[in-house]
Amino acid sequence: MESCDLGGRHQGPIWDRKPSPAARRGVIVNIIHTVKGYHSKTIRFLNVAFDSSGDSLLAGDQQGNIYVFDLNGNRFNLVQRTMQACTALAFNLRRKTEFLVALADYSIKCFDTETKELVSWMRGHDSSVSSISVHGSGRYAITTSTDTAQLWDLDTFQRKRKLNVRQSVGIQKVFFLPLSNTILSCFKDNSVFAWEFDTLHCKYQLPTPVEGSVLLYKVFAVTRDGRIFVAGGKSNHLHLWCLESKQLIRIIQMPAKVRAVRHLEFLPDSFDGGCNQPPPPTFKIVEDWSKCTSEANKLTMRVTSGRSDRPWKSKGSKIQTRLLKLPMSTSLENKENKLPGGLNKKRLRALLKEFGEYPAKYRMFVWRSLLQLPENHLAFSSLIDKGTHSAFVNIQNEYPIKSRKLLRVLQRTLSALAHWSAIFAETPYIPLLAFPFVKLFQNNQLICFEVVATVVVNFCQHWFEYFPNPPVNVLSMMENVLAHHDKELLQHFIKHKVTSQVYAWPLLETLFSEILTREEWLKVFDNIFSNHPSYFLMFVVAYITCSRAPLLQCNQTRDFEYFFHHRNNLDINVVIKEAYHLMDATPLDIHPERMLDDFIPLTKGQYPVFNKYPKFIVDYQTQERERIRQDEIKYLRERQLAHELEAKAQERKAEDEAWYRKQELLREAEEQRRKILLEEEEKLAEQRQRLGAVKRELKVKELQFLDASRRRFLKYQEDQRQMELKRLDDEIARKASMREQETAAAAQDVEVQRMELESQRQLFEQHLIKDQEAVTKEMKEEVDARQRKVDLEDHLVRRLMEIEREERQKAQIVAEENLAKAEQKRIDTDWRLQALHKLRHDDQDCEKRYEEIAKLLHDNRVKEAELLKAMREAEEKKWEEVIQKKAQLQEEQKAATAADKHRKQFLEDKMNDALELAEKLQREDGYFERLRDLKAGRTERGVEQQQVPRSGNICLNDLSALESSSHMSLDRRRELTWQERELMAEVRRLREKLTLQAQTRHPPTRFQATKWTP
C-alpha cells in the first residue's frame, strides 16, 4: 500500500509506480496532507466527491484547500484555496470542469478546475450546508441544511424553490433520484417523502419503520437505477427499501461492534452489468471512532480492478498528460531549479529552446510556476478595498480603451500598485508596462497584479533610482553591451545624437508591446521569464543589433523615434537567439547579470516592501501632485462657476435677443395687422353702405307690408268687434224678450187672480175707503219725497258732469296727444275687461232679480192663501188681516227703500266707472252731454212710470191698493234694468265712435310687430 503526502505541493503525482490493490482490505493508496514547520500537523480532509465517470474526485480539507485527483492521469492539482472549511462538494455534471463547494459561511461557490476562477457565488442558507445533489441533466442542484433545502438553476445560478420545515423537524438530506425526475427528502423524524421535480407535488411517503426500532436515519444511499434505497444511522442495522413498491424489503444487521454508520455507498460495478436486482450490497463501516483516530486524517480510496467493461484511462486523459509528462525522479535535480506544481526550471528551458515557446494551453500555468506567484488573496483584497487611487481616477481620458471591463481591470491593477508603493502613482509609464499583462489576465485580477508586481521587482531593477528621470544606469548597461558587440551602430547613434533614451527606453517602458504582435510578445516573455532578469536587457540590445541595417539608413531623430515605437519586419526567433548569444558572449565586467540580482519571488502572506526609489522626490511629487490636484479642483470649480456665469450670461443674452426679436416680430405683425384692419375697415364701410341701402329698401318694403298688414288687421278687428257687439245685442234682446214674456205671464196670472178677487173686493170696498184714503195720502207724501230726492240726485249728477266737463276741457289737449300714443292692444284689452265686468254684473243683477221675483211670487201665494182664509173666516178677523197687511206693507216699504239704496249705489258706481273711462278717453266729444241726456231721460221715464199708477183714480172697482203696492216695486225694477241696458249699449256705441276717430287721426305706426288676438 502506497502513501501520498501532499505537503506544500500544488500539484504532482499520486503514486510513483503503477497501483495495485493491497492484499489487506483492498486499499491501494493513502493520501494525507501534512504541514511541516515549528509544529508539524496533519490537515484532515472533510469531504470528497467523485465525478460521473468515477475517474476523478474532489477533496476538501479543513483549511479550505480543494484538490482534484485524476486517477487515470495519476495527477493531483490544487484547484482552489477558499480560506475556510468546506462542508460539501459536488461536480457539475453538465460542465465537466466546474464543481460546487459549500463553505462554512453558509454560501455555495462554483469554481472552474482549469482556469481556477470563481464562476458564481450563491447565498441563501442560514445554517451550514450538509449536502449537494446535482440532477442527472446537470442543470439543477439541491443544497441541504438542517432547516431548509433550496433548488438552484445552474445555468443562471438563481434560486428557484425553497423547502422550509418546522424547527422541531429538521432535514437530514434532500437529493435527486438517479434516472428519474423525483426528489427524495429525508427528515430527522425518519419520514421520507418523494416529490415530483416538475410540479413539486408530493408523489408518495414511505411508511414508518417497524415499531420498536431505535434506528434514526442519518445516512442514505440509492442504487444507480433509483429502485433501491438504503438508510442507516447510529445503529448496527440498515433498512433496505424498494422505492417501486414503497415497502421495507430487508433489514441488515451488522456485527455488534458496529456502533454507527457514517457513510453509505453502492459499488457501481456490483450491479450495473446485471438486471437491476442488487445483490447484498457492500458498505463502508466505521467501527469505533475512538479507535480510528490514527486513520482519521487519511483519505481512503477503494478502486476495483479486473473489469473489462471500463478502461482504466480514457483517450482524452492520455492526450492531456503526454505533453507535459516529465521524469518522475527528482533526486538528481538541482534544488534551485525545482518549481511549484512539480515543474523543473532546467527542463522547462530545454523545452523552450527546443520549441521556441511554451504550449498556449499551459503557458499561464508555466508562467505562474516560473514566477512563483504566492496568491496572497487577503493582501490583494486589502489593496483592492482601498478603492481607486486618485492618480488613476481619470485614466480613461489618457487611455481611451473601448472595453469597459478591460479599463476597469487596468484601473484596479494600477490602483493596487499605487497603494502598494507610492512610486507607481507618480510613474507615467506604469500603465504602458502593466497593460499587456492586464489584457492577458483580465479574468483573474489577483494573478494579474502579482505578475506585474513580480515583473517590476525582478525585471525592472534599478529603474526608479533616478526617478523621475529614465534609469540612466540600466540604459548605460545596455549601451556598454551595444558598444562591445556593435560599435559601428553605436557610433551611428552618437553621430545623429540618438541616445539610449531614444533607442532603448521606449522598448523597456512598454515591454515591447508597441513593436511586437501578441504571439511574438508571448514568445518573448516565455524566454524572459525562464531566464535571468538580465536577459530582458539583452533582448533589447539584440533587437537593436538585429535591426542595424534599417537603423543605419536613418539619419533623422524622428525616424529613429518612429522605428522604436512601431512594428518592424523582423523575425522574432532570430532576435531571441541573438539575445541568448549576447548572454553567452558578453564579458562579465559589462554583463548586466553582474549588476542585477537573481530572481526573487514575492513573499507569501504579505507583499514585500518596495522602496527602491528616491523617497523625498516621490513624496515631493506626491505633495506637489496633491497641491496641483487641489489647485486643479479649485480651478475647475472656478472654471465651472465661470462657465455657469457665462452660460447664464449667454442664456440671458439669448433671452434678450429672443425677446427683442420677438418684439420686432410682434411690431411687424402689428403693423401688418393694422394695415389689414384698415383695408378691412374700408371694405366694411363699403359693405355697410351697400347694406344700408339694402336695409332702407327692405325697411320701405317692410313698412309698406306692415301698413298693409295693419290695415288688414284693423279691418279684421273692426269686423270682429261688430260681430261681438251684434252677438251681445242679440243676447240682450233675447234676455229682454224672455223677461217680457215672463212679465206678461205674471201679469196674466195676476189678472186672473184679480178677476177672482173682484167679487170679493166689493165686500170690503166700504171698509177700505177710509184706509185707502189714508194710504193714498201716505203714498203721495212718499212719492213727493222720492221725487224731490230724485231731483236732488239729478241736480248732483248734472253738477258733477259740469265739473268733469271743465276738467276734461282743460286736459283735452294732453289727452289727445296721449291718446295717439296709446297702445291699441291696451285699449282693446281694457274694453274687453270692462265689457266682461259689466256682463258679469248684469248676470249677478239678473240672478238677484229672479230671486226677488220668486220671493214676491211666494209672498203673493202666501197672501192669497191668507186672503182666502180670511174670506172664509168670520168678520171678526178683518182687523187682524188689516194689521197683518200693514205689517206686510211696512216690510215692502223697507224692501223698496233697500232697493232704492242699492240702485243709487249702483248708479254712483257706474257714474264713477264712466268718469274713469272718460279720463282715459279724453278726446271723445259730447260724451257727458249724452250721458246727462240719458240720465235725464232715465229720470223722467222713472218718474213717469212711478206716476203711472196715480194717473187715474184709485178705486176699489179697478184695482185694490194692496195689489198696486205689491206690483209697483217689481215694475220699477224692470224699468231700471232696461234703462241700464240702454245706457251700456249707448256707452259701447260711443266708445266705438271714439276709437274710430282716434285711429283716423293718429294711426299707431310704432306697433307694427304686435300681434293682436280677438
Side-chain angles (χ1 to χ4, degrees):
M1 181 181 66
E2 247 187 84
S3 178
C4 177
D5 188 358
L6 303 182
R9 294 182 298 169
H10 291 178
Q11 57 185 353
I14 302 175
W15 45 72
D16 294 334
R17 61 182 178 178
K18 185 177 181 180
S20 59
R24 184 174 179 270
R25 298 197 301 177
V27 179
I28 60 174
V29 65
N30 283 339
I31 299 176
I32 60 175
H33 186 195
T34 60
V35 178
K36 295 181 179 180
Y38 183 76
H39 293 290
S40 298
K41 62 177 181 179
T42 301
I43 302 175
R44 291 190 302 112
F45 285 97
L46 300 179
N47 290 279
V48 294
F50 279 89
D51 63 355
S52 58
S53 63
D55 295 336
S56 300
L57 65 89
L58 283 170
D61 59 20
Q62 61 185 8
Q63 288 188 353
N65 301 316
I66 301 176
Y67 295 87
V68 173
F69 296 90
D70 184 3
L71 302 181
N72 287 339
N74 188 25
R75 300 292 296 175
F76 75 88
N77 190 8
L78 177 62
V79 294
Q80 198 57 238
R81 287 180 175 176
T82 60
M83 308 305 294
Q84 52 183 324
C86 64
T87 59
L89 289 170
F91 274 99
N92 189 339
L93 299 182
R94 173 176 289 190
R95 295 177 289 274
K96 303 299 182 181
T97 60
E98 294 180 2
F99 65 92
L100 302 173
V101 54
L103 302 175
D105 61 352
Y106 312 150
S107 65
I108 302 100
K109 292 185 178 180
C110 180
F111 293 99
D112 194 302
T113 57
E114 290 185 353
T115 62
K116 301 181 182 180
E117 293 181 354
L118 177 64
V119 178
S120 180
W121 193 350
M122 297 174 284
R123 292 180 177 271
H125 283 279
D126 296 330
S127 58
S128 177
V129 177
S130 58
S131 67
I132 301 175
S133 175
V134 181
H135 190 262
S137 64
R139 183 176 178 183
Y140 301 100
I142 294 178
T143 57
T144 307
S145 60
T146 57
D147 57 348
T148 183
Q150 300 187 14
L151 177 64
W152 303 87
D153 188 340
L154 296 184
D155 288 341
T156 61
F157 296 100
Q158 298 292 327
R159 185 175 65 189
K160 295 180 66 66
R161 292 296 181 92
K162 183 178 180 181
L163 174 63
N164 293 320
V165 296
R166 295 193 302 270
Q167 189 175 5
S168 59
V169 181
I171 300 177
Q172 287 289 3
K173 189 176 182 180
V174 180
F175 55 94
F176 288 103
L177 288 181
L179 305 178
S180 68
N181 277 340
T182 304
I183 300 174
L184 211 62
S185 60
C186 308
F187 300 93
K188 290 184 179 181
D189 59 354
N190 283 6
S191 60
V192 179
F193 291 86
W195 308 84
E196 182 64 37
F197 171 66
D198 296 333
T199 61
L200 293 180
H201 292 163
C202 183
K203 294 176 62 177
Y204 58 85
Q205 178 185 1
L206 296 182
T208 56
V210 181
E211 295 183 1
S213 175
V214 295
L215 175 60
L216 294 178
Y217 294 163
K218 294 291 185 181
V219 291
F220 312 91
V222 182
T223 58
R224 283 199 171 187
D225 59 0
R227 295 182 179 181
I228 304 299
F229 168 70
V230 65
K234 291 184 179 180
S235 174
N236 62 345
H237 290 83
L238 297 177
H239 288 183
L240 197 66
W241 294 83
C242 179
L243 296 181
E244 291 182 346
S245 62
K246 291 85 175 176
Q247 297 295 329
L248 181 64
I249 60 176
R250 188 179 302 172
I251 297 177
I252 302 175
Q253 183 176 5
M254 292 179 290
K257 62 180 180 180
V258 178
R259 297 182 180 180
V261 178
R262 294 287 183 178
H263 186 76
L264 289 172
E265 196 71 39
F266 282 96
L267 296 181
D269 290 343
S270 297
F271 56 89
D272 279 356
C275 57
N276 292 327
Q277 296 294 331
T282 303
F283 301 93
K284 176 184 175 184
I285 304 170
V286 179
E287 299 177 355
D288 192 346
W289 187 256
S290 63
K291 297 179 180 180
C292 297
T293 54
S294 62
E295 299 181 359
N297 299 327
K298 299 179 180 179
L299 177 64
T300 303
M301 297 187 299
R302 180 174 181 178
V303 181
T304 60
S305 62
R307 301 292 298 183
S308 60
D309 55 347
R310 189 181 65 186
W312 178 254
K313 295 183 179 179
S314 63
K315 184 177 180 181
S317 63
K318 289 181 179 179
I319 296 174
Q320 295 180 4
T321 57
R322 272 184 185 176
L323 187 60
L324 293 179
K325 187 174 182 181
L326 300 175
M328 296 296 106
S329 177
T330 59
S331 59
L332 300 178
E333 296 292 338
N334 192 349
K335 187 176 181 179
E336 64 181 9
N337 291 328
K338 190 174 182 180
L339 297 175
L343 299 180
N344 187 279
K345 193 171 185 179
K346 186 176 181 180
R347 293 182 178 275
L348 287 176
R349 287 178 185 174
L351 183 66
L352 185 62
K353 287 184 178 180
E354 180 180 355
F355 295 99
E357 60 179 337
Y358 293 123
K361 185 174 183 180
Y362 299 102
R363 176 177 281 119
M364 300 299 105
F365 171 69
V366 174
W367 282 14
R368 290 168 65 176
S369 298
L370 290 172
L371 299 178
Q372 302 179 31
L373 302 181
E375 298 186 16
N376 299 327
H377 292 270
L378 296 179
F380 178 70
S381 298
S382 64
L383 294 176
I384 292 296
D385 292 342
K386 292 181 180 180
T388 303
H389 197 276
S390 60
F392 304 107
V393 172
N394 298 319
I395 192 175
Q396 67 274 7
N397 298 331
E398 188 175 358
Y399 301 98
I401 303 174
K402 292 182 179 180
S403 175
R404 296 182 62 85
K405 178 182 178 182
L406 189 60
L407 179 63
R408 184 167 60 252
V409 174
L410 176 63
Q411 189 178 44
R412 289 181 179 177
T413 303
L414 296 178
S415 299
L417 289 172
H419 291 308
W420 175 42
S421 180
I423 183 64
F424 300 118
E426 309 298 329
T427 306
Y429 57 85
I430 197 66
L432 300 175
L433 186 146
F435 181 73
F437 299 103
V438 170
K439 194 171 183 180
L440 193 62
F441 297 98
Q442 59 180 321
N443 293 326
N444 196 329
Q445 300 180 29
L446 171 63
I447 301 301
C448 178
F449 170 78
E450 292 187 348
V451 168
V452 176
T454 303
V455 169
V456 170
V457 171
N458 292 278
F459 298 93
C460 300
Q461 297 181 36
H462 310 293
W463 279 29
F464 308 100
E465 294 178 359
Y466 293 92
F467 181 82
N469 299 314
V472 180
N473 50 353
V474 176
L475 297 176
S476 298
M477 286 187 241
M478 291 186 291
E479 189 172 354
N480 294 334
V481 174
L482 181 61
H484 180 270
H485 292 283
D486 197 342
K487 290 183 180 181
E488 181 184 359
L489 184 58
L490 180 61
Q491 289 299 325
H492 181 71
F493 287 154
I494 295 173
K495 178 182 178 181
H496 295 284
K497 298 180 181 180
V498 176
T499 62
S500 57
Q501 297 183 16
V502 176
Y503 63 79
W505 181 238
L507 305 180
L508 292 177
E509 67 179 357
T510 60
L511 297 182
F512 314 110
S513 60
E514 288 184 345
I515 62 173
L516 300 178
T517 63
R518 175 184 172 89
E519 291 75 14
E520 293 174 346
W521 188 88
L522 293 173
K523 186 181 296 185
V524 168
F525 270 88
D526 284 345
N527 292 271
I528 292 175
F529 289 156
S530 300
N531 292 278
H532 191 272
S534 59
Y535 180 84
F536 180 40
L537 304 181
M538 288 300 184
F539 184 85
V540 176
V541 178
Y543 184 83
I544 296 171
T545 56
C546 291
S547 305
R548 67 186 311 274
L551 289 175
L552 289 174
Q553 298 296 325
C554 298
N555 53 16
Q556 294 184 3
T557 305
R558 63 175 178 271
D559 294 336
F560 290 101
E561 292 177 351
Y562 181 86
F563 183 86
F564 290 106
H565 283 280
H566 293 80
R567 295 175 183 174
N568 302 289
N569 296 325
L570 194 63
D571 188 359
I572 198 64
N573 295 321
V574 176
V575 179
I576 294 173
K577 291 180 180 180
E578 181 64 21
Y580 280 110
H581 172 70
L582 295 177
M583 287 286 291
D584 297 335
T586 302
L588 293 177
D589 55 344
I590 62 172
H591 201 293
E593 187 176 359
R594 187 175 63 87
M595 303 296 295
L596 299 178
D597 298 331
D598 294 335
F599 179 83
I600 302 174
L602 299 178
T603 58
K604 292 186 177 181
Q606 294 293 332
Y607 297 113
V609 177
F610 187 84
N611 56 0
K612 297 177 181 180
Y613 59 87
K615 191 173 185 303
F616 69 95
I617 295 178
V618 175
D619 294 342
Y620 175 75
Q621 284 197 356
T622 302
Q623 294 175 3
E624 286 297 313
R625 183 184 295 275
E626 183 65 24
R627 183 184 61 80
I628 292 172
R629 192 175 68 84
Q630 294 296 333
D631 293 342
E632 184 178 1
I633 293 174
K634 184 178 179 181
Y635 166 74
L636 291 176
R637 190 181 297 112
E638 293 177 355
R639 187 176 68 176
Q640 180 68 19
L641 183 60
H643 285 335
E644 291 178 358
L645 294 175
E646 184 179 0
K648 289 183 180 179
Q650 293 294 336
E651 184 180 358
R652 191 178 297 107
K653 182 179 178 181
E655 290 178 356
D656 294 340
E657 291 178 355
W659 186 81
Y660 283 120
R661 287 196 300 270
K662 186 176 180 180
Q663 293 298 321
E664 184 67 21
L665 292 175
L666 291 174
R667 187 182 62 77
E668 293 176 359
E670 185 178 0
E671 291 294 335
Q672 186 177 1
R673 286 176 175 77
R674 187 177 289 108
K675 292 178 181 179
I676 294 173
L677 286 175
L678 291 176
E679 294 176 358
E680 293 295 331
E681 286 179 357
E682 292 177 358
K683 293 179 181 179
L684 184 61
E686 294 177 0
Q687 292 179 359
R688 284 179 178 175
Q689 291 178 0
R690 292 194 295 270
L691 184 62
V694 173
K695 282 185 176 180
R696 283 192 296 274
E697 293 177 0
L698 293 176
K699 189 68 175 176
V700 171
K701 293 180 180 179
E702 184 180 1
L703 291 175
Q704 294 175 357
F705 176 74
L706 290 175
D707 185 63
S709 299
R710 182 181 59 78
R711 292 177 183 277
R712 189 164 55 253
F713 181 72
L714 290 176
K715 187 174 181 306
Y716 172 75
Q717 281 187 336
E718 183 177 358
D719 295 340
Q720 290 291 330
R721 288 172 183 171
Q722 288 180 359
M723 291 174 64
E724 184 69 21
L725 291 174
K726 186 176 180 181
R727 186 183 66 79
L728 292 175
D729 291 340
D730 294 340
E731 184 69 20
I732 291 173
R734 185 179 63 80
K735 290 184 178 181
S737 175
M738 289 177 63
R739 289 177 182 175
E740 288 178 357
Q741 291 176 3
E742 292 175 357
T743 304
Q748 290 178 2
D749 294 337
V750 171
E751 184 65 22
V752 171
Q753 293 178 2
R754 185 184 63 77
M755 291 176 65
E756 290 177 356
L757 296 175
E758 186 176 358
S759 59
Q760 298 177 3
R761 202 170 43 241
Q762 295 176 4
L763 297 176
F764 298 99
E765 193 175 25
Q766 294 178 359
H767 298 284
L768 295 176
I769 290 174
K770 292 181 181 180
D771 295 334
Q772 184 66 34
E773 289 177 357
V775 170
T776 302
K777 186 177 179 179
E778 290 178 0
M779 288 297 295
K780 285 181 180 180
E781 292 177 357
E782 183 180 354
V783 170
D784 292 338
R786 190 177 297 277
Q787 185 65 36
R788 288 193 298 272
K789 186 176 181 181
V790 171
D791 292 341
L792 182 59
E793 289 176 0
D794 292 339
H795 178 72
L796 292 175
V797 170
R798 285 193 298 273
R799 182 60 181 167
L800 180 60
M801 291 173 64
E802 291 176 359
I803 294 172
E804 291 298 330
R805 187 181 297 109
E806 293 176 359
E807 294 292 334
R808 187 178 66 255
Q809 289 176 358
K810 293 178 181 180
Q812 184 175 1
I813 299 172
V814 178
E816 288 176 356
E817 295 176 358
N818 292 334
L819 184 61
K821 299 177 183 179
E823 297 180 14
Q824 185 63 31
K825 184 176 180 179
R826 182 178 181 80
I827 295 173
D828 185 65
T829 304
D830 292 339
W831 175 78
R832 288 178 180 277
L833 289 174
Q834 291 176 4
L836 292 174
H837 182 70
K838 292 184 181 298
L839 291 174
R840 186 166 58 252
H841 278 286
D842 290 341
D843 293 338
Q844 291 177 358
D845 293 338
C846 291
E847 290 177 1
K848 291 180 180 180
R849 293 190 188 96
Y850 291 156
E851 292 176 358
E852 291 177 357
I853 290 172
K855 185 178 180 181
L856 291 174
L857 291 175
H858 178 70
D859 292 341
N860 288 334
R861 285 194 296 273
V862 172
K863 291 177 182 178
E864 289 174 359
E866 292 177 352
L867 182 59
L868 292 173
K869 186 179 180 179
M871 290 174 65
R872 297 187 193 101
E873 291 178 353
E875 187 177 356
E876 60 272 15
K877 295 182 180 178
K878 289 181 181 180
W879 294 105
E880 294 179 359
E881 291 175 357
V882 171
I883 295 171
Q884 187 177 3
K885 288 180 180 180
K886 286 184 178 181
Q888 291 176 358
L889 182 59
Q890 291 177 358
E891 291 178 0
E892 288 294 331
Q893 289 177 352
K894 291 180 181 180
T897 303
D900 292 337
K901 281 185 179 183
H902 179 71
R903 181 181 56 79
K904 182 179 180 181
Q905 184 66 32
F906 176 77
L907 289 175
E908 290 177 356
D909 294 337
K910 293 298 180 180
M911 288 298 296
N912 292 334
D913 292 338
L915 291 175
E916 289 176 0
L917 182 61
E919 290 177 358
K920 293 179 182 178
L921 306 173
Q922 293 291 334
R923 295 180 60 186
E924 57 183 336
D925 297 328
Y927 173 77
F928 287 101
E929 288 81 0
R930 181 62 180 169
L931 185 62
R932 187 179 64 249
D933 294 339
L934 291 174
K935 282 276 193 178
R938 184 189 64 182
T939 304
E940 290 174 358
R941 284 193 298 270
V943 172
E944 289 175 358
Q945 289 176 3
Q946 290 178 2
Q947 291 178 357
V948 167
R950 295 176 178 81
S951 59
N953 295 325
I954 299 173
C955 61
L956 293 175
N957 295 327
D958 296 330
L959 187 62
S960 64
L962 181 60
E963 293 174 351
S964 177
S965 65
S966 308
H967 294 280
M968 183 170 50
S969 60
L970 181 59
D971 295 338
R972 188 163 52 252
R973 287 191 181 88
R974 291 176 180 175
E975 184 65 25
L976 290 175
T977 301
W978 178 256
Q979 291 177 2
E980 288 175 3
R981 291 177 180 175
E982 289 181 353
L983 180 61
M984 291 302 298
E986 186 67 23
V987 169
R988 282 195 294 274
R989 285 193 295 273
L990 289 174
R991 289 181 69 251
E992 291 176 1
K993 182 180 179 181
L994 291 174
T995 301
L996 291 175
Q997 291 177 1
Q999 290 176 356
T1000 304
R1001 296 177 184 177
H1002 302 282
T1005 59
R1006 66 178 63 189
F1007 304 105
Q1008 297 123 358
T1010 305
K1011 294 183 179 180
W1012 299 87
T1013 56

